[in-house]
Amino acid sequence: MRQMASYDIMETIRNTNEWLGASAKAMAAYPALSIFPNPALQWIGAWGEVTERSFSRMATKPDWNIPPFVGADGTDRLVYEEIEIKGAFGDLLHFRVQGRTQKRRKVLLVAPMSGHYATLLRSTVISLLPECELYITDWHNARDIPVSAGKFDIEDYTLHLVDYMRHLGPDTHVIAVCQPAPLALVATAYLAEEDPKAQPSSLTLIGGPVDPSAAPTEVTDFGHAVSMGQLEEFMIQNVGFKYNGVGRKVYPGLLQLNSFISMNLDNHKDAFMTQIQRVAKGEAHEFDKHNKFYDEYLSVMDMPAEFYLSTVDRIFKNGEVAKNEFTIEGKKVDIGKITTVAVITVEGTKDDISAPGQCIAALDLCTGLPDDKKASHVEDGAGHYGIFAGKSWRDNIRPLVLDFIDDHEKATPPGFRRKQQAKLKAGVAVADDKEEAAKISAYRDAADRGADAQIAADKDAAEKFAEAKIAADKEAAEKSAAAKIAAYKEAEDKITAAKIAAAKDAEAKVAAAKAAVDKENADRIAAVQKSSGKKTNGNKKKS
């Protein structure tokens, strides 16, 4: 109850600040107070507007709001989300593009479960959609998951990734961002041993703590400085009565947000002071840079306690992935078993969460992988957020990742995207090298023919199945009708036979009864006649 009370106290503080902000904003907007202009009212209203917006976002899951993009034929392509696989702790989400046939690059984007929703990768999704058929892991807020759903630790997380990879098939390219990078590596190794045909084609690991001890940061230092008992005592709380997950042990999102902000307190303070000034001057608007960033940054979610604690214990403290000692359900997963999946790591020189050196350690663990299937990139001047969503991602890292995918994509020749981009920049519609042009064309035609053949086969199979089902239903209906008619006729014949038998039986009984009556009457007449004859003879004798 103590931990549940502390959870509700934090939620009460958040609610109170949201209410205070709304009240200040409403008070400053009273027309009567405008009779006497006062700059203080503008500042109070600006403070209220920023405060209300900020604290309300802390309890709200953002929408994806993916804008349409222009397709190759010049028409707008609308994007909408659909759930591919639904689960208690998370869904596999598919971004379906209206009016577009399936793209060659099938990408699974693995979002972290680290305090923010998967929508934190919105800009990453938007940048990949024109080039890829995109899926993403959409983890749920632990406060909304009933206790009856059970536990969810890093082994469960890894097995979810295994299920997603199996579902999407071997032509999938996995991109794991930040925290799930070591677990995506383990999931791939697990498939290499248990189901090799389901392994993805490539694996991109972006800024993940594969070996946290390779380059210590404040995050890794904190993990080593506290004991697991201290973490459980001070970080774990029970969800309060307001949500469906009441009683579930979680690492609360509000507590995580406090840690995020404290790491760069001065920067956040300056950003909010500047925004209040801009609102007071009328320079701010709904979708300005501050609001776009903080609407997402402040939207936090609770993390299952067992997932948080097992991550700290097994990834940061014991370094199970870094030592290649990670186990699932008691069985060791050997990362060296990865022999066919191409692996690339991406890091940023200014990443203060997963410093350079932590992620690239994955390549040394892939002892069974040839060097031509390994690659790494360190982006100069990029911080943690920038390597998957900022300018560095858009200008340098995204093209690099797509080129790496193309180099290991079955439907396109190596360097396909680079050559296409080079031709576009040079204004050349056809490659100068006819042999290369023919090769690219052959790859594309083969892929198109394969796709067309698959579509035709699927359509033919569907039509045959529909025809067979209609015929089977018709035959079953006819048999059912014939059976009913036969049953009715048989029943009618039985009833008629029963009636005839009953009538004959009744007739026989009537005849027998009549014969009996006739006999009885004859006997009586005979008896009477006999009696009369005796009397006549007696009278004669007397005479």
Side-chain angles (χ1 to χ4, degrees), residues 322-383:
K323 298 173 184 176
N324 198 15
E325 296 175 353
F326 195 88
T327 59
I328 294 180
E329 297 175 346
K331 181 181 178 181
K332 179 186 173 182
V333 181
D334 185 6
I335 298 173
K337 296 292 184 181
I338 300 175
T339 57
T340 60
V341 181
V343 180
I344 183 173
T345 62
V346 178
E347 298 174 317
T349 58
K350 293 186 177 180
D351 190 340
D352 57 352
I353 296 178
S354 294
Q358 292 188 16
C359 193
I360 197 174
L363 300 182
D364 292 334
L365 293 171
C366 297
T367 54
L369 194 64
D371 289 340
D372 62 351
K373 286 186 174 292
K374 297 180 182 179
S376 64
H377 174 74
V378 179
E379 182 68 15
D380 186 38

XYZ file of all heavy atoms in Angstrom, residues 322-383:
443
model
N 27.286 -8.964 -23.366
C 28.682 -8.630 -23.674
C 29.598 -9.835 -23.502
O 30.595 -9.982 -24.222
C 29.148 -7.476 -22.781
N 29.260 -10.726 -22.547
C 30.074 -11.919 -22.294
C 29.564 -13.138 -23.069
O 30.103 -14.238 -22.906
C 30.062 -12.240 -20.800
C 30.649 -11.147 -19.919
C 30.443 -11.481 -18.441
C 30.934 -10.365 -17.548
N 30.636 -10.643 -16.107
N 28.515 -12.934 -23.879
C 27.887 -14.037 -24.612
C 27.420 -15.136 -23.653
O 27.627 -16.337 -23.897
C 28.834 -14.618 -25.661
C 28.099 -15.453 -26.712
O 26.868 -15.370 -26.831
N 28.836 -16.256 -27.447
N 26.771 -14.714 -22.564
C 26.283 -15.660 -21.564
C 24.779 -15.530 -21.330
O 24.253 -16.052 -20.350
C 27.019 -15.441 -20.232
C 28.515 -15.718 -20.308
C 29.235 -15.389 -19.012
O 28.577 -14.823 -18.100
O 30.442 -15.692 -18.904
N 24.083 -14.866 -22.246
C 22.649 -14.643 -22.059
C 21.894 -15.967 -22.213
O 22.194 -16.767 -23.107
C 22.126 -13.633 -23.083
C 20.766 -13.081 -22.764
C 20.619 -11.959 -21.968
C 19.617 -13.694 -23.248
C 19.368 -11.441 -21.674
C 18.358 -13.194 -22.965
C 18.228 -12.063 -22.178
N 20.923 -16.181 -21.341
C 20.129 -17.408 -21.393
C 18.643 -17.068 -21.534
O 18.183 -16.034 -21.061
C 20.313 -18.253 -20.122
O 19.925 -17.475 -18.980
C 21.756 -18.699 -19.980
N 17.920 -17.960 -22.193
C 16.461 -17.861 -22.302
C 15.870 -19.173 -21.807
O 16.198 -20.244 -22.342
C 16.007 -17.582 -23.747
C 16.487 -16.198 -24.194
C 14.499 -17.680 -23.875
C 16.087 -15.832 -25.609
N 15.061 -19.075 -20.760
C 14.461 -20.250 -20.131
C 15.529 -21.268 -19.750
O 15.365 -22.476 -19.914
C 13.417 -20.875 -21.067
C 12.248 -19.933 -21.352
C 11.262 -20.491 -22.365
O 11.627 -21.483 -23.043
O 10.155 -19.963 -22.472
N 16.668 -20.750 -19.265
C 17.746 -21.599 -18.780
C 18.713 -22.092 -19.830
O 19.742 -22.702 -19.496
N 18.448 -21.834 -21.104
C 19.319 -22.307 -22.181
C 20.155 -21.146 -22.719
O 19.619 -20.097 -23.053
C 18.486 -22.910 -23.305
C 19.324 -23.446 -24.457
C 18.449 -24.028 -25.561
C 19.286 -24.514 -26.722
N 18.446 -25.069 -27.821
N 21.468 -21.354 -22.834
C 22.353 -20.309 -23.323
C 22.110 -20.047 -24.815
O 21.930 -20.967 -25.603
C 23.811 -20.706 -23.112
C 24.801 -19.656 -23.617
C 26.238 -20.117 -23.534
C 27.162 -19.110 -24.203
N 28.571 -19.529 -24.200
N 22.122 -18.765 -25.170
C 21.995 -18.357 -26.575
C 23.370 -17.922 -27.056
O 23.932 -16.943 -26.560
C 20.981 -17.201 -26.730
C 20.859 -16.811 -28.190
C 19.624 -17.601 -26.168
N 23.910 -18.635 -28.024
C 25.272 -18.371 -28.523
C 25.202 -17.407 -29.710
O 24.725 -17.756 -30.793
C 25.934 -19.673 -28.938
C 27.393 -19.482 -29.348
O 27.906 -18.344 -29.200
O 28.007 -20.470 -29.806
N 25.685 -16.175 -29.504
C 25.655 -15.165 -30.568
C 26.574 -15.564 -31.727
O 26.359 -15.161 -32.872
C 26.044 -13.786 -29.996
C 25.021 -13.367 -28.918
C 26.111 -12.714 -31.088
C 25.373 -12.113 -28.170
N 27.564 -16.393 -31.450
C 28.464 -16.865 -32.486
C 27.782 -17.740 -33.530
O 28.365 -18.025 -34.586
N 26.554 -18.172 -33.255
C 25.798 -19.004 -34.205
C 25.268 -18.187 -35.387
O 24.809 -18.756 -36.372
C 24.635 -19.685 -33.500
C 25.049 -20.682 -32.421
C 25.726 -21.891 -33.007
C 26.046 -22.926 -31.927
N 26.727 -24.120 -32.476
N 25.309 -16.867 -35.278
C 24.870 -16.015 -36.389
C 25.927 -16.093 -37.489
O 27.053 -15.639 -37.312
C 24.675 -14.556 -35.942
C 23.619 -14.459 -34.838
C 24.272 -13.674 -37.124
C 23.454 -13.067 -34.263
N 25.553 -16.651 -38.642
C 26.529 -16.834 -39.723
C 26.071 -16.259 -41.061
O 26.884 -16.118 -41.977
C 26.817 -18.338 -39.927
O 25.580 -19.022 -40.212
C 27.445 -18.949 -38.682
N 24.796 -15.949 -41.201
C 24.280 -15.481 -42.499
C 23.648 -14.104 -42.446
O 23.436 -13.478 -43.482
C 23.234 -16.474 -43.038
O 22.143 -16.579 -42.104
C 23.836 -17.853 -43.248
N 23.320 -13.593 -41.263
C 22.642 -12.308 -41.128
C 23.657 -11.170 -41.122
O 24.536 -11.113 -40.254
C 21.794 -12.255 -39.834
C 21.069 -10.921 -39.727
C 20.804 -13.415 -39.796
N 23.553 -10.249 -42.076
C 24.464 -9.101 -42.125
C 24.171 -8.156 -40.954
O 23.004 -7.872 -40.664
C 24.295 -8.362 -43.443
N 25.222 -7.674 -40.280
C 25.067 -6.840 -39.086
C 25.837 -5.539 -39.256
O 27.016 -5.547 -39.621
C 25.560 -7.577 -37.814
C 25.395 -6.683 -36.585
C 24.811 -8.888 -37.620
N 25.155 -4.414 -38.969
C 25.809 -3.104 -38.979
C 25.479 -2.381 -37.678
O 24.360 -2.486 -37.162
C 25.360 -2.259 -40.193
C 26.121 -0.916 -40.213
C 23.862 -2.032 -40.207
C 25.868 -0.080 -41.457
N 26.454 -1.668 -37.126
C 26.231 -0.881 -35.912
C 26.395 0.603 -36.238
O 27.217 0.975 -37.083
C 27.224 -1.268 -34.800
O 28.560 -0.999 -35.236
C 27.087 -2.746 -34.469
N 25.598 1.429 -35.568
C 25.642 2.887 -35.768
C 25.779 3.556 -34.409
O 25.014 3.260 -33.479
C 24.377 3.392 -36.480
C 24.419 4.912 -36.622
C 24.220 2.736 -37.847
N 26.748 4.475 -34.278
C 26.969 5.189 -33.025
C 27.191 6.670 -33.313
O 27.463 7.056 -34.454
C 28.182 4.609 -32.291
C 28.019 3.144 -31.901
C 29.288 2.545 -31.302
O 30.383 2.817 -31.859
O 29.198 1.824 -30.306
N 27.044 7.499 -32.267
C 27.286 8.934 -32.380
C 28.382 9.365 -31.433
O 28.435 8.911 -30.286
N 29.248 10.255 -31.893
C 30.397 10.644 -31.065
C 29.976 11.399 -29.807
O 30.696 11.403 -28.813
C 31.367 11.521 -31.869
O 30.669 12.681 -32.356
C 31.947 10.751 -33.038
N 28.800 12.038 -29.831
C 28.340 12.818 -28.673
C 27.190 12.126 -27.949
O 26.425 12.767 -27.215
C 27.911 14.222 -29.124
C 29.070 15.075 -29.616
C 28.626 16.500 -29.910
C 29.801 17.366 -30.333
N 29.388 18.767 -30.627
N 27.052 10.830 -28.143
C 25.997 10.072 -27.469
C 26.379 9.898 -25.998
O 27.362 9.209 -25.679
C 25.831 8.701 -28.143
C 24.596 7.964 -27.658
O 24.091 8.303 -26.575
O 24.136 7.045 -28.366
N 25.625 10.537 -25.092
C 25.938 10.464 -23.666
C 25.128 9.380 -22.949
O 25.206 9.258 -21.724
C 25.696 11.815 -22.987
C 24.267 12.318 -23.174
O 23.514 11.696 -23.951
O 23.901 13.339 -22.553
N 24.351 8.592 -23.692
C 23.584 7.498 -23.097
C 24.209 6.152 -23.456
O 24.483 5.327 -22.588
C 22.103 7.560 -23.547
C 21.463 8.845 -23.008
C 21.335 6.323 -23.074
C 20.031 9.046 -23.420
N 24.410 5.910 -24.745
C 25.150 4.720 -25.206
C 26.369 5.213 -25.972
O 26.318 5.429 -27.183
C 24.275 3.832 -26.095
O 23.213 3.281 -25.353
N 27.461 5.405 -25.278
C 28.658 6.025 -25.852
C 29.286 5.134 -26.924
O 29.084 3.911 -26.934
C 29.668 6.320 -24.748
N 30.048 5.740 -27.843
C 30.721 4.960 -28.884
C 31.589 3.857 -28.272
O 32.352 4.107 -27.336
C 31.585 6.004 -29.606
C 30.909 7.298 -29.341
C 30.309 7.187 -27.973
N 31.452 2.664 -28.791
C 32.163 1.510 -28.259
C 31.211 0.485 -27.668
O 31.488 -0.720 -27.686
N 30.073 0.946 -27.149
C 29.112 0.024 -26.546
C 28.392 -0.819 -27.588
O 28.166 -2.012 -27.397
C 28.078 0.794 -25.711
C 28.625 1.445 -24.467
C 27.521 2.019 -23.576
O 26.348 1.690 -23.727
N 27.897 2.882 -22.648
N 28.013 -0.207 -28.705
C 27.220 -0.909 -29.711
C 28.086 -1.729 -30.667
O 27.728 -2.856 -31.042
C 26.377 0.096 -30.497
S 25.079 -0.659 -31.501
N 29.223 -1.196 -31.044
C 30.091 -1.884 -32.010
C 30.623 -3.198 -31.451
O 31.086 -4.073 -32.195
C 31.264 -0.963 -32.428
C 31.909 -1.478 -33.719
C 32.278 -0.847 -31.311
C 32.968 -0.548 -34.269
N 30.506 -3.375 -30.130
C 30.943 -4.628 -29.506
C 30.170 -5.824 -30.069
O 30.639 -6.966 -29.975
C 30.755 -4.549 -27.993
N 29.017 -5.575 -30.658
C 28.209 -6.656 -31.232
C 28.975 -7.388 -32.328
O 28.829 -8.608 -32.493
C 26.899 -6.096 -31.777
N 29.789 -6.668 -33.084
C 30.511 -7.281 -34.208
C 31.543 -8.299 -33.715
O 31.752 -9.339 -34.349
C 31.189 -6.206 -35.056
C 30.247 -5.165 -35.689
C 31.038 -4.176 -36.536
C 29.168 -5.840 -36.516
N 32.184 -8.006 -32.584
C 33.159 -8.960 -32.033
C 32.476 -10.219 -31.516
O 33.081 -11.297 -31.486
C 33.960 -8.300 -30.904
C 34.887 -7.206 -31.413
O 35.287 -7.289 -32.590
O 35.185 -6.269 -30.646
N 31.216 -10.089 -31.090
C 30.485 -11.249 -30.585
C 30.044 -12.182 -31.716
O 29.837 -13.371 -31.487
C 29.252 -10.791 -29.793
C 29.521 -10.048 -28.484
C 28.227 -9.460 -27.932
C 30.147 -10.995 -27.467
N 29.909 -11.633 -32.930
C 29.473 -12.433 -34.085
C 30.676 -13.147 -34.690
O 31.113 -12.858 -35.811
C 28.788 -11.542 -35.121
S 27.282 -10.753 -34.529
N 31.215 -14.102 -33.932
C 32.446 -14.778 -34.346
C 32.248 -15.671 -35.566
O 33.213 -15.982 -36.271
C 32.983 -15.622 -33.182
O 31.929 -16.510 -32.722
C 33.415 -14.725 -32.021
N 31.030 -16.097 -35.828
C 30.777 -16.963 -36.967
C 30.383 -16.225 -38.226
O 30.090 -16.848 -39.252
N 30.383 -14.894 -38.171
C 29.930 -14.087 -39.301
C 31.125 -13.604 -40.132
O 32.077 -13.040 -39.585
C 29.132 -12.880 -38.788
C 28.289 -12.099 -39.792
C 27.174 -12.975 -40.349
C 27.691 -10.856 -39.130
N 31.102 -13.793 -41.452
C 32.211 -13.306 -42.296
C 32.348 -11.784 -42.217
O 31.368 -11.072 -41.982
C 31.799 -13.750 -43.703
C 30.760 -14.798 -43.522
C 30.060 -14.482 -42.237
N 33.546 -11.296 -42.442
C 33.797 -9.851 -42.350
C 33.007 -9.053 -43.384
O 32.671 -7.893 -43.143
C 35.294 -9.575 -42.523
C 36.107 -10.037 -41.318
O 35.497 -10.206 -40.245
O 37.328 -10.228 -41.456
N 32.717 -9.668 -44.534
C 31.986 -8.922 -45.561
C 30.511 -8.735 -45.205
O 29.786 -8.044 -45.906
C 32.117 -9.604 -46.923
C 31.527 -11.015 -46.928
O 31.179 -11.523 -45.846
O 31.415 -11.600 -48.026
N 30.068 -9.347 -44.111
C 28.706 -9.144 -43.627
C 28.670 -8.289 -42.359
O 27.643 -8.168 -41.700
C 28.021 -10.496 -43.349
C 27.610 -11.238 -44.624
C 26.809 -12.479 -44.301
C 26.274 -13.129 -45.565
N 25.240 -12.304 -46.220
N 29.812 -7.692 -42.029
C 29.899 -6.805 -40.866
C 30.207 -5.388 -41.320
O 30.977 -5.186 -42.268
C 30.992 -7.268 -39.904
C 30.774 -8.630 -39.273
C 31.941 -8.960 -38.346
C 31.813 -10.330 -37.725
N 32.961 -10.648 -36.839
N 29.593 -4.410 -40.641
C 29.879 -3.006 -40.950
C 29.614 -2.169 -39.701
O 28.869 -2.582 -38.801
C 29.013 -2.520 -42.112
N 30.218 -0.994 -39.654
C 29.991 -0.078 -38.524
C 30.121 1.358 -39.010
O 30.772 1.626 -40.021
C 30.991 -0.350 -37.394
O 32.316 -0.080 -37.828
N 29.464 2.258 -38.276
C 29.532 3.678 -38.628
C 29.454 4.495 -37.345
O 28.619 4.240 -36.475
C 28.371 4.055 -39.552
C 28.301 5.526 -39.849
N 29.187 6.159 -40.707
C 27.464 6.500 -39.384
C 28.894 7.439 -40.765
N 27.847 7.674 -39.973
N 30.328 5.484 -37.229
C 30.295 6.429 -36.111
C 30.040 7.813 -36.695
O 30.846 8.328 -37.475
C 31.620 6.408 -35.315
C 31.549 7.416 -34.172
C 31.905 5.005 -34.776
N 28.908 8.400 -36.312
C 28.508 9.698 -36.858
C 29.124 10.825 -36.035
O 28.865 10.969 -34.830
C 26.980 9.813 -36.854
C 26.435 11.094 -37.442
C 26.664 11.208 -38.943
O 26.985 10.184 -39.585
O 26.514 12.321 -39.479
N 29.914 11.623 -36.690
C 30.606 12.717 -36.012
C 29.616 13.801 -35.589
O 28.799 14.268 -36.386
C 31.669 13.308 -36.941
C 32.529 14.350 -36.250
O 32.843 14.152 -35.054
O 32.869 15.366 -36.881
N 29.683 14.198 -34.317
C 28.870 15.298 -33.814
C 27.438 14.940 -33.469
O 26.652 15.813 -33.077
N 27.065 13.681 -33.596
C 25.671 13.277 -33.338
C 25.495 12.798 -31.910
O 26.318 12.044 -31.380
C 25.262 12.178 -34.310
N 24.410 13.244 -31.268
C 24.047 12.764 -29.943
C 23.149 11.547 -30.050
O 22.923 11.003 -31.130
